[in-house]
Every structure is written in structure tokens, then in C-alpha cells.
Amino acid sequence: MKISENTSVSMPMKNMIGIIIAVAMGVFAYTEVTARLTSLETSRELFQADLLKKSEQLPTDQEQFMLLEDLYKTVEKIEIRIEDMMHNKVNIEFVTKQLEKALADIEIMKDKVRANGSH
């Protein structure tokens, strides 16, 4: 059997397309697995670095961090309350304007009723 650059190979087009698709799927799967492994390794390294940092902290540092976290939570709650109060202020101002208009309309109606009674 002689093989040279002029040797021809015949293959059905369906088989060739199938082989190309299989190779493409293999390359895609390999890149996905590689990306996932890289992500997991990075995550593990960060976790280990975080553990090392925590082990180096003094108890007073840990207590201060806990206090800071508590302060942040408290500040967030206060901010939410302030926002709610701002909405209440807008609503109160709107109702006040509506009430002033209603009182003015009532006074106009009273004046008309008095004017009708004096004729």
C-alpha cells in the first residue's frame, strides 16, 4: 500500500460533517472543563488566603470587625427608616395642600350660603 499526497480518500459527506461536529463538541467541552477547574482553583486559593488572614487576627481585631458589621447593619436600618420618613413627609405635604384647598372651598361655599340668605 502506497500513501502519497496524491492518494485520495472517499468518505460520505454525512460522516465528515459528523466528525467535524464531534471534534468541535470535544474542544468546547475541554474549554468548559478547563474554565471550571480554573475557577475552582482560584476560589480555593482565595478561601485559603482568607483563612490565613483570619488566623492571624487578634481577638480584639475580630471583636472590632464584629462591631463594625453591626454598625453597618444599624446604619442600613436607619437609612431605610429615613427614606420611609421622607415618603411620609411628601404624603403629609400633599394632604396638607389638599386640606387647605378644601377649607378654602368650604369658606367660599359658606360665603355663598350667607349671601343667599341675606337676599
Side-chain angles (χ1 to χ4, degrees), residues 100-116:
E100 288 173 358
K101 184 180 180 309
L103 288 173
D105 290 346
I106 289 172
E107 286 300 321
I108 292 171
M109 289 173 63
K110 281 183 181 178
D111 291 341
K112 285 182 181 179
V113 167
R114 288 184 195 131
N116 282 341

Side-chain angles (χ1 to χ4, degrees), residues 8-71:
S8 65
V9 176
S10 65
M11 178 185 302
M13 194 63 138
K14 189 170 40 169
N15 291 353
M16 189 170 76
I17 291 173
I19 290 171
I20 291 172
I21 290 174
V23 168
M25 287 173 56
V27 168
F28 180 74
Y30 174 76
T31 56
E32 288 296 315
V33 168
T34 304
R36 181 70 178 145
L37 283 172
T38 304
S39 170
L40 289 172
E41 287 174 352
T42 304
S43 157
R44 186 192 59 167
E45 291 295 324
L46 290 173
F47 183 71
Q48 285 179 344
D50 192 35
L51 281 177
L52 286 174
K53 284 181 185 176
K54 288 200 182 230
S55 67
E56 293 170 359
Q57 293 175 354
L58 299 174
T60 55
D61 291 341
Q62 291 174 346
E63 183 179 352
Q64 288 174 352
F65 287 131
M66 288 174 56
L67 288 171
L68 282 173
E69 286 179 21
D70 184 55
L71 284 173

Side-chain angles (χ1 to χ4, degrees), residues 55-107:
S55 67
E56 293 170 359
Q57 293 175 354
L58 299 174
T60 55
D61 291 341
Q62 291 174 346
E63 183 179 352
Q64 288 174 352
F65 287 131
M66 288 174 56
L67 288 171
L68 282 173
E69 286 179 21
D70 184 55
L71 284 173
Y72 279 121
K73 289 176 186 174
T74 305
V75 167
E76 286 175 357
K77 288 177 186 175
I78 291 171
E79 286 175 345
I80 291 170
R81 251 188 102 180
I82 288 173
E83 287 178 17
D84 289 343
M85 290 169 67
M86 287 179 5
H87 293 300
N88 287 344
K89 180 182 177 190
V90 170
N91 289 337
I92 290 170
E93 288 175 355
F94 175 75
V95 170
T96 302
K97 287 178 185 176
Q98 293 294 323
L99 183 59
E100 288 173 358
K101 184 180 180 309
L103 288 173
D105 290 346
I106 289 172
E107 286 300 321

